Amino acid sequence: MRIGIDLGTTYSAVAAVRGGTAEIVDCQDGRLTPSAVFFDDGRPVVGMSAKNMAAVSPEDYVDLVKRRMGMPGPVHIDEKGREYRPEEMSAIILAHLASQAGLSLGGEVREAVITVPAYFGDAARKATRDAAEIAGLRPLRILNEPTAAGIAYGLLRSESGTFMVYDLGGGTFDVTVMRVGGDDLEVIATDGNRALGGFDFDNILITYAALEILATGGPELRDGGQGEARLRAACEDAKRRLSQLDRAMIRVAGPDRLHQVPVTRRRFEEITAGLLARTEDISESVLAQSNLGWTDIDKVLLVGGSSRMPMVADMLQRLTGRRPSMDINPDEAVALGAALLADQIEPEDRPVVVGPGAGGFRDVTSHGMGIAALDDRGVRSNTVVIPRNTPIPCKRLRDFYTTRANQAEVCFELTEGDSEDIDEVEVTVLDMIALPPDLPEQAPLRVGMGFDADATMYIGLFDVTNERFLGEYQLSRPENMTREAKEASRRTLLELEAGRE
Ligand code: AMP
């Protein structure tokens, strides 16, 4: 069985196509599952029952793992000293969602389309794919979240036009401009911020409440422990209420007594105005990259729980002159789109066709990929081979030249970023590649670089002089796990699930 999974920073959702329509699948916690893990005596518990333990035992609690995807290093070390990488923690969440969905759907879930923010880099996409494999799921596709939302709107509502997807989630922000017509969906441009979301709005409210409590002679609740976890929960609750009410009370138990801090919606909007303005700037920038203006946007689709804050719709109405659309639940659109795509992917991974007929969808690269090399003046600089916002799948060829005769090897430095300045891009892989003997100076080496439909990249090298393919290189990134490590993790996860230590 196949499902679509919106693996969110704070909440995750699962959907499946049943009887021709995409529907959210109920899990233990209902339609949304907190992306939170609690280690109960070393064994992982996922969802609301984990989240409820955050304040009680913060050292056994892990959340916001998505922000660490594609980074090495543990997000948690349990009491026995076992270290958990971000993809292992995500695997625990994915395994829980898949087994819950299996119970609801009455079968075993083996395959899934999993969504990621559009601007996730290559390492974070691979980490997500690895997480699925550790969880025992075949990742059918790693799909960009805004594209998934576009698929949900386009296919569920059969609308066409130029859409902007404004996706403000728990920990991330994405804006995407796309054209939808008939069964086609074409992403024109996308951008985002990996560290901007509801969590940051919570943080500002936490500071506000903590200072108010201090000002009335109360204790400092931002202790990095239980007090802070309770304050965070109280502030997130109050923030949600402020989406419906014009004032709310933040109620939090301190070590001394219950503290109550009143806050109005207007005050909340004032103190978080800077965050909202950042989303406006990014939206403007994506429009500029699309060569479009606000009047060209037929509809803004709101995605992500934080887009429920009334100030978001107010801002977008001011910019577009029209009320944004929320007719598909913003928490659910991404999972629904993922499920629709999962249902459409051919078993043998043939090119994806969405919907009936000859339609399809085109996504774009969310960051430039290139090669670090010496330029004409002998200065090490970045050559962007595939610029950002290039439709995918795609492949580009570019010639580089040896610097001396009989050069034995080249140092391959892949870059992720859009600047020519090497200091402004991320050099993601370092590899020494042996060259055939007796190449003259300035011998052309042709680099073929491409993104597959997952926006995961591949790279090949061709020796033009001898007309020989030097090989397609598997990217070995220190940030990602090796096959052996993944297999070991899978075994550990199975043991944990079986209740053995
Ligand atoms: P997501 O990553 O899309 O699951 O986003 C969840 C985020 O949306 C969290 O930061 C929630 O606090 C936030 N959120 C959910 N519902 C509301 C609401 N009614 N008003 C404001 N924020 C909300």
Side-chain angles (χ1 to χ4, degrees):
M1 255 188 330
R2 294 176 167 187
I3 54 175
I5 302 178
D6 171 6
L7 183 61
T9 310
T10 49
Y11 291 90
S12 295
V14 180
V17 173
R18 279 184 283 191
T21 38
E23 289 168 15
I24 293 292
V25 177
D26 261 332
C27 295
Q28 188 176 303
D29 296 325
R31 299 167 79 83
L32 291 178
T33 300
S35 308
V37 181
F38 177 74
F39 286 86
D40 187 352
D41 200 18
R43 289 173 49 202
V45 179
V46 177
M48 201 43 97
S49 40
K51 202 174 178 194
N52 289 338
M53 296 304 286
V56 184
S57 186
E59 62 283 357
D60 297 314
Y61 176 78
V62 190
D63 64 0
L64 303 176
V65 173
K66 191 173 176 180
R67 287 188 168 177
R68 305 277 297 276
M69 289 298 266
M71 297 180 195
V75 283
H76 180 66
I77 303 175
D78 72 11
E79 50 205 15
K80 296 207 175 92
R82 184 191 289 145
E83 297 190 348
Y84 290 86
R85 294 177 55 109
E87 49 271 65
E88 294 176 296
M89 208 55 79
S90 286
I92 290 171
I93 298 170
L94 288 172
H96 170 83
L97 296 172
S99 85
Q100 289 287 311
L103 288 177
S104 271
L105 297 168
E108 195 185 347
V109 173
R110 293 179 194 278
E111 299 176 315
V113 168
I114 301 168
T115 58
V116 295
Y119 53 84
F120 249 25
D122 191 46
R125 282 168 202 273
K126 272 216 173 61
T128 306
R129 185 172 266 284
D130 290 346
E133 285 170 6
I134 295 169
L137 283 171
R138 189 163 93 91
L140 290 166
R141 184 68 48 90
I142 303 298
L143 177 66
N144 285 337
E145 288 160 9
T147 311
I151 290 173
Y153 270 90
L155 291 186
L156 290 181
R157 312 208 62 88
S158 311
E159 288 184 35
S160 56
T162 304
F163 294 176
M164 173 184 273
V165 178
Y166 177 104
D167 180 353
L168 189 57
T172 57
F173 176 63
D174 263 304
V175 184
T176 301
V177 172
M178 57 182 72
R179 278 202 194 92
V180 180
D183 297 325
D184 292 315
L185 185 150
E186 181 189 2
V187 174
I188 304 168
T190 184
D191 203 351
N193 186 329
R194 191 174 173 156
L196 177 58
F199 184 72
D200 303 284
F201 288 76
D202 297 344
N203 285 343
I204 290 186
L205 201 54
I206 286 169
T207 307
Y208 177 80
L211 293 178
E212 290 286 311
I213 291 168
L214 283 174
T216 52
E220 172 61 87
L221 290 180
R222 293 166 296 176
D223 54 5
Q226 291 193 17
E228 183 165 326
R230 277 199 305 272
L231 181 62
R232 175 169 296 283
C235 287
E236 197 203 335
D237 265 3
K239 176 189 75 172
R240 287 170 185 252
R241 287 198 299 279
L242 286 174
S243 293
Q244 288 179 49
L245 307 170
D246 61 5
R247 60 184 61 237
M249 190 66 88
I250 301 167
R251 286 192 184 84
V252 54
D256 47 349
R257 61 185 171 85
L258 181 75
H259 295 273
Q260 305 204 63
V261 180
V263 57
T264 61
R265 183 190 290 171
R266 177 188 283 245
R267 188 79 190 107
F268 174 61
E269 291 179 352
E270 278 167 9
I271 59 178
T272 56
L275 295 177
L276 190 70
R278 275 162 68 192
T279 72
E280 180 175 343
D281 290 345
I282 296 172
S283 306
E284 299 260 359
S285 145
V286 172
L287 270 183
Q289 290 165 44
S290 315
N291 291 318
L292 296 173
W294 284 110
T295 50
D296 298 311
I297 299 296
D298 297 310
K299 198 163 199 174
V300 179
L301 316 181
L302 293 183
V303 175
S306 302
S307 69
R308 286 218 172 82
M309 293 185 293
M311 60 179 143
V312 168
D314 292 347
M315 174 189 81
L316 291 164
Q317 181 163 16
R318 168 171 60 77
L319 295 167
T320 60
R322 240 172 292 171
R323 206 73 193 150
S325 173
M326 255 172 95
D327 47 359
I328 295 184
N329 188 332
D331 297 316
E332 300 179 352
V334 170
L336 291 172
L340 284 165
L341 181 62
D343 188 54
Q344 299 284 339
I345 290 178
E346 299 283 339
E348 359 29 272
D349 272 343
R350 273 196 263 132
V352 185
V353 175
V354 174
F361 83 87
R362 284 203 317 174
D363 217 326
V364 295
T365 57
S366 49
H367 41 265
M369 289 302 285
I371 295 282
L374 300 181
D375 66 12
D376 302 344
R377 291 160 293 138
V379 178
R380 189 165 162 269
S381 67
N382 178 36
T383 303
V384 177
V385 178
I386 302 178
R388 62 177 309 191
N389 289 330
T390 302
I392 54 173
C394 62
K395 182 165 184 181
R396 294 280 189 285
L397 301 174
R398 189 70 161 249
D399 287 352
F400 293 83
Y401 301 89
T402 54
T403 50
R404 53 179 195 280
N406 303 318
Q407 190 172 321
E409 54 188 10
V410 283
C411 179
F412 233 14
E413 291 182 279
L414 280 178
T415 62
E416 208 164 332
D418 302 279
S419 168
E420 282 184 12
D421 185 341
I422 200 79
D423 295 329
E424 287 182 14
V425 298
E426 207 180 318
V427 180
T428 44
V429 176
L430 285 176
D431 226 352
M432 296 304 286
I433 288 169
L435 295 176
D438 59 44
L439 282 181
E441 187 182 335
Q442 290 290 306
L445 298 172
R446 186 159 297 162
V447 171
M449 206 182 254
F451 280 97
D452 67 15
D454 284 350
T456 311
M457 74 152 312
Y458 59 90
I459 184 163
L461 191 65
F462 185 76
D463 166 12
V464 181
T465 315
N466 298 304
E467 295 191 355
R468 248 188 308 178
F469 197 52
L470 297 177
E472 189 162 274
Y473 293 90
Q474 201 60 46
L475 304 185
S476 54
R477 292 172 176 282
E479 307 92 303
N480 286 121
M481 291 173 84
T482 60
R483 172 164 298 283
E484 295 74 39
K486 273 193 283 177
E487 281 162 6
S489 282
R490 169 98 193 108
R491 284 194 297 275
T492 307
L493 186 66
L494 287 173
E495 278 170 28
L496 287 172
E497 275 174 1
R500 280 179 269 131
E501 280 287 10

